[in-house]
Amino acid sequence: MPTPFVAPEFKKSSFNCPQCGAFAQQHWFVAWKAQEGAGGSFSPIPEVYTSVCAHCNRHTLWYLPPQRPVPRHLKDTQPEVAQRIEESNKARMIFPLVAQGPLPSADLPEDIRQDFLEGRSIAPQSPRGASALLRLCIQKLCRHLGEPGKDLNADIGALVGRGLPKKIQQALDTVRVVGNGAVHPGELDLRDDLPTALRLLELINMIADVMITQPKQVEALYERVLTPGQKEQIAKRDAPEEPRRNSP
């Protein structure tokens, strides 16, 4: 299975460092913070934090925008507006501006690899655009694996019948690839954020690993280990029995 990738996240204790790529502990410090103003209130200005990688000792800078309160009634009356405010309150990494997420499986077809890399490169700046592109990757991958590629619910269900773990299907539901809340491939969804895009990258690699890489590895092992005579014996053993003819 691919090595799990832990995406950088504000104030998370450990993740894959965007500078060196290693999964390592992160030490957090305040680089710049609003000072207490007149009357004991804080100025509505942004703050900057830095995380230092315990492996490479290099810094990552994070921008925390001025925090806008979300009125409780807004969540009930205008949930999309409330969600946009909550999204705008989230901290984001401002240095280094590098692609995040795992690299594509070497066994992905070239056109899907290119889309995967493009989605990976834009995920930090445009997670919604990356997620839309990565759902298209999953649709293309289903077609490559012999499914129609028109209904991802049906396609993923068929892959489960061919050996894809049920847990992967359930994980695809959480990122709105399948299920009642599924988003059509290529469409933007306001709910998509960076963690969603990064999970999609991982899930594409998992599907490729189970449905392409592992069968190739088993076939290569079979060809390397068994002699022609052993292969012939196995073929005879596994051949369907011919129906017996009734004697006259």
Side-chain angles (χ1 to χ4, degrees):
M1 291 290 289
T3 302
F5 175 85
V6 180
E9 186 178 324
F10 184 57
K11 290 193 175 179
K12 196 177 185 74
S13 60
S14 300
F15 50 71
N16 283 86
C17 173
Q19 298 274 25
C20 67
F23 177 76
Q25 184 178 4
Q26 303 292 321
H27 302 290
W28 289 89
F29 303 95
V30 177
W32 190 87
K33 190 172 184 178
Q35 298 296 315
E36 190 172 351
S41 61
F42 284 87
S43 302
I45 50 182
E47 300 173 359
V48 179
Y49 292 76
T50 182
S51 60
V52 182
C53 173
H55 182 263
C56 68
N57 205 37
R58 285 188 280 181
H59 294 67
T60 300
L61 290 178
W62 297 76
Y63 169 85
L64 182 66
Q67 298 298 287
R68 298 168 58 195
V70 182
R72 184 172 298 178
H73 73 274
L74 201 60
K75 294 184 177 181
D76 298 325
T77 59
Q78 294 179 284
E80 290 187 357
V81 174
Q83 184 180 15
R84 284 199 292 270
I85 295 174
E86 290 173 345
E87 286 292 321
S88 71
N89 283 339
K90 290 182 178 179
R92 63 179 182 271
M93 188 170 63
I94 57 174
F95 177 83
L97 289 178
V98 296
Q100 292 186 34
L103 290 169
S105 164
D107 291 318
L108 283 172
E110 184 58 28
D111 61 327
I112 300 177
R113 279 176 55 83
Q114 292 304 316
D115 289 344
F116 184 108
L117 288 169
E118 182 176 342
R120 179 178 181 269
S121 69
I122 67 172
Q125 289 77 40
S126 179
R128 295 182 183 90
S131 297
L133 183 57
L134 294 170
R135 290 191 182 96
L136 278 175
C137 286
I138 293 175
Q139 183 181 54
K140 287 183 178 181
L141 184 54
C142 288
R143 288 175 182 156
H144 175 75
L145 294 170
E147 303 302 330
K150 295 180 180 179
D151 180 352
L152 283 179
N153 278 297
D155 290 348
I156 297 299
L159 292 180
V160 169
R162 293 166 52 189
L164 186 72
K166 187 75 175 176
K167 289 293 184 183
I168 293 182
Q169 182 185 38
Q170 293 168 348
L172 288 168
D173 197 318
T174 68
V175 290
R176 296 179 291 284
V177 172
V178 297
N180 294 332
V183 181
H184 193 275
E187 288 186 358
L188 294 176
D189 185 347
L190 290 176
R191 295 169 292 178
D192 288 334
D193 53 12
L194 182 57
T196 299
L198 296 176
R199 286 197 296 271
L200 283 165
L201 291 169
E202 290 188 85
L203 286 164
I204 292 169
N205 275 346
M206 289 179 184
I207 296 171
D209 181 70
V210 173
M211 305 304 296
I212 303 176
T213 304
Q214 292 183 27
K216 280 177 61 176
Q217 291 172 340
V218 171
E219 180 65 24
L221 181 65
Y222 178 87
E223 293 294 332
R224 186 172 70 250
V225 172
L226 299 181
T227 65
Q230 289 173 320
K231 294 175 186 176
E232 186 177 349
Q233 289 177 356
I234 292 172
K236 288 180 180 179
R237 181 199 67 194
D238 295 341
E241 295 184 7
E242 295 184 4
R244 295 181 179 179
R245 295 181 181 178
N246 295 325
S247 56

